[in-house]
Amino acid sequence: MAETVRAVLLAGGEGRRMGRLGHGRLKPLVPFGGSCRLVDFSLSNAAASGLGEVLLLSQFEEKQLMDDLHRTWWRRGFRVHFGPYDRAYRDGDTRELLRPAGPPERGTADALIRKAPYVFGPDTSEVLVLHADHVYRFDYRPLIEQHRRTRAALTVAYQRIERRFVHLFGMVEFDATGQLTTFAEKPAEPTSDLVFAAFCVFDAGVLHRYLENLDGTGWQHDISRDVIPAMLTGGERILGYEVPGHWEDIGTLERYHLAHLAMVQRNPALPVERLPRTVRPTLARGLVTEAPGIQDSVVPADLVNDGLIERSVAFPGVRIGAEAVVRRSVLLPGASVPAGIEIDSAIVLEDGFVQQLDYASGGVSV
């Protein structure tokens, strides 16, 4: 199965809605869960699903991302393919590798069109589209198997969420036979609590045809805003596959913070043990419910804690000073909280900046 499935990873986000957390770093490389980065989830899922290769689709600061993924994900049995730059990485000579030329991408479909020679080929039967900012563990094989068995043109993954968040996603609705009837990107007034989980399987030939037909028209160059609606209008067979368990699209600072708070609940839906390990992978870490100075927090074995940490997530290298109190917060790798400081509902960056989570802009340095 894996030999004829082309997995592609959309990883072009700049993280503009992530506040200071997104400054100076690519959104796919934003740390998550005390253990990894956002991009690592889709790559880890692909590797665990028996897919030997994922094609990177990115342009924004692409060399920085490729350099990182080459170090982190070049391993036996699985690798990230870098399209036109792949040979340079294979040969170990990337000194002259420059940023890609040409206008910036206008949408997710542009990435597929620009690297079409690496996406579509005579041996490619399906295209599995993944994103680099989703938090979930999932085996893609049953999804692909259902797609093939039903002979669908497209199978979209979906999940039921709180309706107050539906306006941030692509809303979907299905008829009694499971056929997609509605696909509305970020609707102002949602009529469903089902959302597109933003990974899907296309019949490769059908996807290629729609991209060619849309290219050059007055479209928005986007898979969700253009390609899927065009296929729906065209009467293509589009089915759904419900995603069980935990799934999060980390599109805003609020959702980033809430996702971490969910990790420190008793019996969390996505425990730290199930996260990929790319940040200090050999260092032990886990959810500590009660210990001196620690309550209901995900902490690493090297935590230096002379204060109190409650319902928080700490990355490796964190130091908490004497009589400092940290509650409902995320402490990024190497972050330091000075003695006597009290922090609540915040993200402490590596440089000591505290991004306050009153869900309004602002922050202080400590």
Side-chain angles (χ1 to χ4, degrees), residues 200-254:
C200 55
V201 184
F202 287 92
D203 176 277
V206 173
L207 174 60
H208 201 187
R209 183 173 77 249
Y210 274 88
L211 288 173
E212 289 183 330
N213 291 341
L214 286 166
D215 196 22
T217 66
W219 63 319
Q220 298 178 69
H221 304 259
D222 195 80
I223 293 172
S224 294
R225 291 184 173 88
D226 301 288
V227 178
I228 296 178
M231 291 178 65
L232 189 59
T233 301
E236 301 292 347
R237 182 170 173 76
I238 305 176
L239 303 178
Y241 188 99
E242 187 169 7
V243 178
H246 186 89
W247 173 83
E248 287 275 351
D249 181 339
I250 307 298
T252 66
L253 204 60
E254 176 186 5

Side-chain angles (χ1 to χ4, degrees), residues 37-313:
R37 298 86 49 81
L38 293 178
V39 70
D40 299 321
F41 284 94
S42 288
L43 292 176
S44 181
N45 290 339
S49 300
L51 299 168
E53 185 175 273
V54 173
L55 173 66
L56 178 67
L57 300 182
S58 175
Q59 186 181 35
F60 178 72
E61 297 292 346
E62 188 172 17
K63 186 177 186 303
Q64 180 185 342
L65 184 56
M66 289 189 295
D67 285 348
D68 180 278
L69 296 181
H70 177 67
R71 290 191 300 268
T72 310
W73 282 99
W74 195 290
R75 58 189 65 179
R76 178 174 295 182
F78 183 83
R79 61 186 293 269
V80 181
H81 193 288
F82 301 127
Y85 312 105
D86 200 64
R87 177 55 59 185
Y89 282 93
R90 281 180 177 270
D91 294 343
D93 186 6
T94 61
R95 292 170 298 176
E96 302 301 321
L97 194 64
L98 303 176
R99 287 188 60 187
E105 292 176 1
R106 292 159 288 184
T108 54
D110 273 358
L112 289 164
I113 291 173
R114 291 186 180 188
K115 293 185 178 176
Y118 302 95
V119 177
F120 304 102
D123 297 325
T124 300
S125 56
E126 292 89 17
V127 177
L128 173 65
V129 177
L130 309 174
H131 283 70
D133 55 358
H134 294 163
V135 172
Y136 66 113
R137 298 312 306 267
F138 185 78
D139 185 342
Y140 300 120
R141 285 172 289 196
L143 167 67
I144 297 167
E145 290 167 359
Q146 175 188 296
H147 175 83
R148 289 181 172 178
R149 185 177 65 255
T150 58
R151 299 185 178 181
L154 168 64
T155 302
V156 297
Y158 70 92
Q159 190 170 69
R160 193 179 305 274
I161 68 169
E162 293 182 54
R163 188 165 292 200
R164 67 190 179 104
F165 288 122
V166 171
H167 72 282
L168 299 171
F169 304 95
M171 185 191 74
V172 295
E173 293 178 302
F174 302 91
D175 64 19
T177 69
Q179 180 86 15
L180 183 71
T181 58
T182 302
F183 191 100
E185 181 68 7
K186 298 182 179 179
E189 298 182 3
T191 57
S192 167
D193 58 0
L194 301 181
V195 298
F196 176 38
F199 62 93
C200 55
V201 184
F202 287 92
D203 176 277
V206 173
L207 174 60
H208 201 187
R209 183 173 77 249
Y210 274 88
L211 288 173
E212 289 183 330
N213 291 341
L214 286 166
D215 196 22
T217 66
W219 63 319
Q220 298 178 69
H221 304 259
D222 195 80
I223 293 172
S224 294
R225 291 184 173 88
D226 301 288
V227 178
I228 296 178
M231 291 178 65
L232 189 59
T233 301
E236 301 292 347
R237 182 170 173 76
I238 305 176
L239 303 178
Y241 188 99
E242 187 169 7
V243 178
H246 186 89
W247 173 83
E248 287 275 351
D249 181 339
I250 307 298
T252 66
L253 204 60
E254 176 186 5
R255 290 187 66 83
Y256 180 84
H257 183 243
L258 291 175
H260 282 85
L261 293 187
M263 288 185 62
V264 297
Q265 297 174 351
R266 303 293 173 95
N267 301 314
L270 186 63
V272 66
E273 292 79 13
R274 294 200 64 212
L275 269 58
R277 284 282 188 93
T278 55
V279 176
R280 299 279 301 277
T282 61
L283 184 68
R285 69 210 75 191
L287 176 62
V288 176
T289 57
E290 189 169 356
I294 305 172
Q295 292 184 3
D296 297 319
S297 295
V298 172
V299 296
D302 70 342
L303 174 69
V304 177
N305 179 26
D306 294 317
L308 174 65
I309 179 171
E310 295 181 344
R311 295 189 60 206
S312 297
V313 175

